[in-house]
Each structure stands twice: as C-alpha cells, then as structure tokens.
Amino acid sequence: MLAAVMEEIGKPLVVKNMPDPELTPDGVIIKVEANGICRSDWHLWQGHFDWVGLKMQLPHIFGHELSGVIIEVGKNVKNFKKDDRVVVPVSGGDGVCEMCRRGHQNLCDHGQTPGVAYWGGFGQYVHVPSADFNLALIPDNVDFIEASAIGCRFATAFHGVLDRAKVQGGEWVVVTGCGGVGLSAIQISAAVGANVIAVDIDDKKLEFAKQCGAVAAINSKKQNVPEAVREITKGGAHVSIDALGITATAQSSVLSLRKRGRHLQLGMTSDKEQGFIAYPADLIVATELEIVGSYGSPSYRYADMLEMVDKGIFQPKKLVTQTINVHEVSSVLEAMTNFETTGLTILNKWEQSFITA
Ligand SMILES: [Zn+2]
Ligand SMILES: [Zn+2]
C-alpha cells in the first residue's frame, strides 16, 4: 500500500510502498477514504509527548482522523461487516479495562489511538483492532470527508465543551486558539446557544472563526485578552477554553473568567512547558473557579455526533479548507510549525506517481 511514512523524527515524511496490514480475529481492515491532518500528528512528528511516556517506533505511519470502507472482517467481529462505511474514533480502547467498562474509553488503560498505537490513515489501508468496540457507522447522508473531519479535533471539542465544561445556551464562552480544535469548539458552543468570543494572534483565523459562529473576536497581539473579555461580557466569561496549550493562552483564559467560571484545558503543551503550566491559584480559590481537563472522546459519543451532523446541527465540513494528495501531507505538517494552516486539511487522494523513495 502507498503511505506517507515517518522514517526520522522531524524529517520530511517519505511517500513509499509499505506492507499491507494483516487481519486479526478481532479486527477489520479499512480502505481509507479520508484522513485529517491534526496538530497531534505535528506534535508526534516533532518527538513531543515523551514527557507523558509516548515514543514512536520507526518507521511509523500517522493518521488518526480516518474514515473509510471495511474490506476485510475478522472472524470474531459481530457488529460490523464488509462494505460498511465507518469512522474510527480517535480514543480507541481495549473494551475490557475499568475505564472502558465505565464508558470512558478515551481514558483506556491500553489506549488504541489509530496512527499512534498502530499504523494509521496516512496509509491506504488500516487494521483496526478490537473492531466491535472501536468503530462507528457513518449515516448515508454524511460523506467520508465530513466523517473524517469529526475524527479527533471535532470529537475532542465535542466531549470537552458538552460533557466536561457543560457549556449551556446563553453562556459566554471564550475560545483561545483558532486551529482545528478551537474552531470546532466555537462551532459546537455556538450550536448549543452560547455566545462565543474567539481569541487568536492571526486576523485571518479570527475572520474564519466568525464564520464558524463566534460573535466577537480578539487579537491577543493587539488587545489585553482578560480586559477585552470583561468588557464584552460585562464581568468575564462563564467558560474559558484553551485550545492551544501554552502558558500565555492558558493563563489569559483563566484570567478571563467571571466568578465561579469553568476553565477547560483542551490543548496539550509543547517543548517549552513540557506538561507544566502555572495557574493563578489565589484567584481560583477566591472566585471558586473550576479547572477541567478533557481528552479525546469516548467512542460511543460518535453515534451522537454523527446524528447531529446528519441533521445539520453540526457542520464539520465547514471547517475543511483543503483536500490533499498523499505527497502533500509532509508540507502540511511543516506549515503547522509556524501555524500557517487554517481550518482542517484532509488527505483523500492517493497516486502511485507521487512515490518519493
Ligand atoms: Zn480499556
Ligand atoms: Zn488529533
């Protein structure tokens, strides 16, 4: 199969033929139709997250926002059959540990994230383990690009905004960082009736954020974010969401809250912070703030999300700005280094002529 392969950390991906995946009794093999390029791919490509014990074996094939068609089914699989159109939830699990049995598959003791725990959707075919547990059927009216756009960033925002921060209609929500997760959080918060303020350092991204449902935008290079939020909301936001994960964005998010506000940490840190960010502890005590973390999304939530996409309540496709060929994946990762990408980029074209090695 053709794949964009990481042979060395931080070096351009190599497009080449790789061995096809092998079927196991509990797994299925999917022909990938669409796969989103996520900032987590960039983090892993940079060799990040070894501070949480994550280290990639090389060579490796990324890709954890994938949708496609089942072409082979293991003999123990009961819930899915050949030719089913499916999306692979980002937070795969073993289905048997305590967290999985309690419905928190995103916190599985033996997490099975596609493109991390096993080769993912930067390749043409993917083997999904424990398939009964780690797939969701795509409704007929939802296409592969839209389904893959739910993949990781939209699903992460959905679980964070609705299940963890419990955003409600009428609340003020300030979202910092208008990349894929941030834009998804804006669309989802707006869809449930919240008033959303978008924060970024790039006016172009703020303009796109408004198209995704933000009612106000703040450029943090030009304005003091907590002051501006306080003025717009007359006292501070009910919910702040840091969709980036650096000290500046996490702190300004918390400082933008009103009394009893909730801060949702969605972005994970980079080289500089290596997992640690200082929060304003006295303010958290004195104004009864809540700090909430959220990670991926339980796999059973995909059916709920896909139904809301099917009904037009969510439109993740609006976040998609480009579709690309397999040979363009590496340059998209490179563009992420300086935050040059806008919205979601989806890989959906495979051509042998693009082999680079
Ligand atoms: Zn588990
Ligand atoms: Zn991701």
Side-chain angles (χ1 to χ4, degrees):
M1 67 173 183
L2 203 57
V5 183
M6 176 168 77
E7 297 192 325
E8 280 181 78
I9 297 281
K11 293 279 158 56
L13 304 185
V14 178
V15 178
K16 63 195 292 191
N17 278 312
M18 296 293 280
D20 286 345
E22 280 173 29
L23 186 65
T24 63
D26 297 319
V28 300
I29 293 183
I30 290 175
K31 178 176 183 287
V32 179
E33 295 288 345
N35 184 99
I37 320 295
C38 178
R39 179 151 287 274
S40 304
D41 296 313
W42 175 85
H43 277 293
L44 293 163
W45 176 59
Q46 291 288 308
H48 292 169
F49 303 156
D50 59 353
W51 50 83
V52 291
L54 206 55
K55 228 181 181 91
M56 298 281 103
Q57 298 274 341
L58 299 176
H60 185 74
I61 302 173
F62 291 126
H64 58 270
E65 292 196 318
L66 64 143
S67 63
V69 179
I70 295 178
I71 57 164
E72 279 185 74
V73 185
K75 63 177 172 39
N76 299 340
V77 175
K78 295 185 181 72
N79 299 338
F80 298 93
K81 59 185 190 309
K82 191 170 178 289
D83 297 329
D84 278 348
R85 301 164 72 246
V86 291
V87 61
V88 186
V90 65
S91 305
D94 56 12
V96 296
C97 77
E98 184 196 344
M99 284 293 113
C100 283
R101 284 185 285 118
R102 288 178 185 272
H104 309 298
Q105 301 93 347
N106 52 322
L107 306 178
C108 175
D109 290 344
H110 309 99
Q112 296 286 323
T113 299
V116 180
Y118 55 90
W119 287 0
F122 289 7
Q124 278 178 299
Y125 300 98
V126 170
H127 173 266
V128 179
S130 307
D132 273 333
F133 199 67
N134 291 318
L135 291 174
L137 284 173
I138 303 173
D140 290 344
N141 295 328
V142 177
D143 68 27
F144 290 115
I145 291 176
E146 191 135 52
S148 111
I150 288 177
C152 157
R153 290 165 284 186
F154 197 90
T156 296
F158 179 90
H159 177 56
V161 167
L162 299 182
D163 300 339
R164 300 289 294 148
K166 298 186 168 57
V167 167
Q168 293 169 32
E171 288 192 312
W172 280 102
V173 177
V174 57
V175 178
T176 300
C178 295
V181 172
L183 291 170
S184 302
I186 289 167
Q187 193 187 92
I188 292 159
S189 301
V192 300
N195 308 303
V196 185
I197 303 170
V199 179
D200 203 284
I201 55 171
D202 183 338
D203 284 330
K204 209 171 77 192
K205 288 186 182 172
L206 289 171
E207 202 42 56
F208 193 54
K210 282 186 173 173
Q211 291 171 28
C212 295
V215 295
I218 298 169
N219 186 322
S220 56
K221 263 191 176 163
K222 300 174 188 167
Q223 281 180 283
N224 177 303
V225 174
E227 276 175 22
V229 170
R230 229 162 275 287
E231 199 179 313
I232 295 167
T233 60
K234 310 214 172 4
H238 299 87
V239 175
S240 64
I241 300 175
D242 176 14
L244 189 58
I246 61 173
T247 300
T249 56
Q251 290 179 346
S252 85
S253 295
V254 175
L255 294 172
S256 298
L257 287 171
R258 66 176 60 197
K259 290 178 181 173
R260 296 186 59 78
R262 290 108 68 199
H263 171 69
L264 176 67
Q265 189 62 42
L266 271 186
M268 289 182 82
T269 68
S270 296
D271 278 330
K272 199 161 161 226
E273 287 83 8
Q274 302 217 355
F276 287 89
I277 287 175
Y279 288 109
D282 292 348
L283 186 76
I284 292 169
V285 172
T287 60
E288 294 196 347
L289 303 181
E290 282 178 56
I291 309 285
V292 177
S294 189
Y295 185 66
S297 174
S299 48
Y300 71 88
R301 288 297 256 160
Y302 279 68
D304 306 334
M305 274 184 279
L306 285 160
E307 198 165 317
M308 292 174 88
V309 174
D310 191 32
K311 303 280 183 291
I313 299 163
F314 294 146
Q315 295 163 322
K317 212 173 189 176
K318 276 193 174 169
L319 308 177
V320 177
T321 49
Q322 60 173 344
T323 58
I324 59 164
N325 251 302
V326 64
H327 78 290
E328 296 170 293
V329 174
S330 198
S331 59
V332 171
L333 286 183
E334 276 163 43
M336 285 182 169
T337 302
N338 294 315
F339 296 93
E340 286 160 14
T341 56
T342 301
L344 309 189
T345 299
I346 309 275
L347 160 66
N348 71 339
K349 293 179 274 287
W350 310 84
E351 283 159 43
Q352 288 287 339
S353 58
F354 290 120
I355 287 179
T356 55

